[in-house]
Amino acid sequence: MTTPLRVVIADDQALVRTGFRMILAAAGIEVAAEADDGLTAVDAVRRTLPDVVLMDIRMPELDGLEATRRILASGGDRAPRVIILTTFDLDQYVYAALNAGASGFLLKDVSPEHLISAVRMVRSGDALLAPAITRRLVSRFARGDVNALPGGPDRAAQHQGLGTLTARESEVLRLIARGLSNAELAAHLHLSEATVKTHVARILAKLGLRDRVQAVVLAYETGLVSPGEDGTGQG
């Protein structure tokens, strides 16, 4: 029997929490707790041990960034996956949230289907970037704004592990940075999804990264991928 997927919703807007709870409940996903500020969110996660946390960035008492750091730092191997909730107008805290270990982010006006899919995706160990946000992320790096993330200028030196990647692993990382899913990677590279997953796992291990989102950030910061490439390495 499959263990029910459990979620904590942290947002200071009651209507947002209610809407998400109704969408998730209709899909058979349990909302273990709700929180209207960061401190309550940290406590709720500690008490209920959810699989996924939907985390707003701007909240009273403790913002979503620091709440994410605390949750992931104290959870160890049992730490939940955190999805950052944001409006269309991004701010720098979103980038910092990725470094804090968040598994991706969604726009607050996400469709019910996409919300459900995203929660299930990160629970299975994958990571996501909403398409609109991915475009903003790429645009930010296209302007050379590496300081958008803490420690940006030192990233290349901090991750010398890039040099340990095989040619195939480097190719996979470039495609991950362009937003390809495992299924799309498998089709493009003519490999099985199992083989792709093995490549991805090795890349993350070599680079000391938590998930695919951090791999995307690293790829752009170090210049492994340049904005404007078409995702297949053909430019």
Side-chain angles (χ1 to χ4, degrees):
M1 182 177 179
T2 304
T3 303
L5 202 167
R6 304 172 73 249
V7 176
V8 164
I9 303 173
D11 195 293
D12 62 349
Q13 298 180 47
L15 285 177
V16 171
R17 298 197 308 273
T18 299
F20 282 180
R21 183 180 68 245
M22 293 175 65
I23 291 171
L24 295 174
I29 297 172
E30 178 186 347
V31 176
E34 295 181 27
D36 59 5
D37 65 65
L39 286 176
T40 304
V42 174
D43 180 65
V45 169
R46 186 180 298 115
R47 288 187 294 101
T48 63
L49 301 177
D51 301 293
V52 177
V53 180
L54 295 175
M55 179 75 74
D56 187 21
I57 281 287
R58 299 181 181 182
M59 293 187 292
E61 303 297 335
L62 188 72
D63 65 35
L65 173 58
E66 182 58 29
T68 295
R69 284 181 178 143
R70 294 186 187 185
I71 287 169
L72 297 179
S74 64
D77 293 338
R78 298 188 62 184
R81 295 282 175 166
V82 178
I83 298 176
I84 298 298
L85 300 173
T86 183
T87 57
F88 186 76
D89 293 321
L90 296 179
D91 59 51
Q92 63 184 7
Y93 294 114
V94 172
Y95 300 95
L98 297 182
N99 271 1
S103 293
F105 35 43
L106 290 173
L107 299 174
K108 286 191 177 182
D109 62 356
V110 62
S111 70
E113 297 78 14
H114 194 176
L115 174 65
I116 293 165
S117 174
V119 169
R120 288 175 172 161
M121 184 186 301
V122 298
R123 195 266 189 111
S124 68
D126 208 339
L128 73 141
L129 291 170
I133 297 177
T134 302
R135 289 193 292 273
R136 286 287 196 88
L137 183 64
V138 172
S139 175
R140 198 174 182 95
F141 281 112
R143 296 196 304 271
D145 191 6
V146 295
N147 290 305
L149 280 158
D154 298 323
R155 180 70 61 159
Q158 294 171 351
H159 289 275
Q160 296 178 354
L162 281 172
T164 70
L165 299 182
T166 65
R168 175 65 88 184
E169 288 167 350
S170 293
E171 182 180 17
V172 169
L173 178 54
R174 290 190 183 93
L175 293 173
I176 289 174
R178 303 310 301 179
L180 273 67
S181 66
N182 281 349
E184 291 167 335
L185 283 167
H188 179 73
L189 298 172
H190 306 292
L191 300 172
S192 69
E193 282 196 52
T195 299
V196 167
K197 289 180 180 179
T198 297
H199 282 310
V200 173
R202 287 175 178 168
I203 290 168
L204 298 181
K206 286 183 177 181
L207 300 180
L209 302 175
R210 177 181 173 86
D211 56 35
R212 297 164 72 103
V213 174
Q214 291 188 332
V216 171
V217 172
L218 174 63
Y220 280 104
E221 283 194 326
T222 57
L224 183 66
V225 173
S226 300
E229 291 181 11
D230 67 359
T232 60
Q234 297 175 352

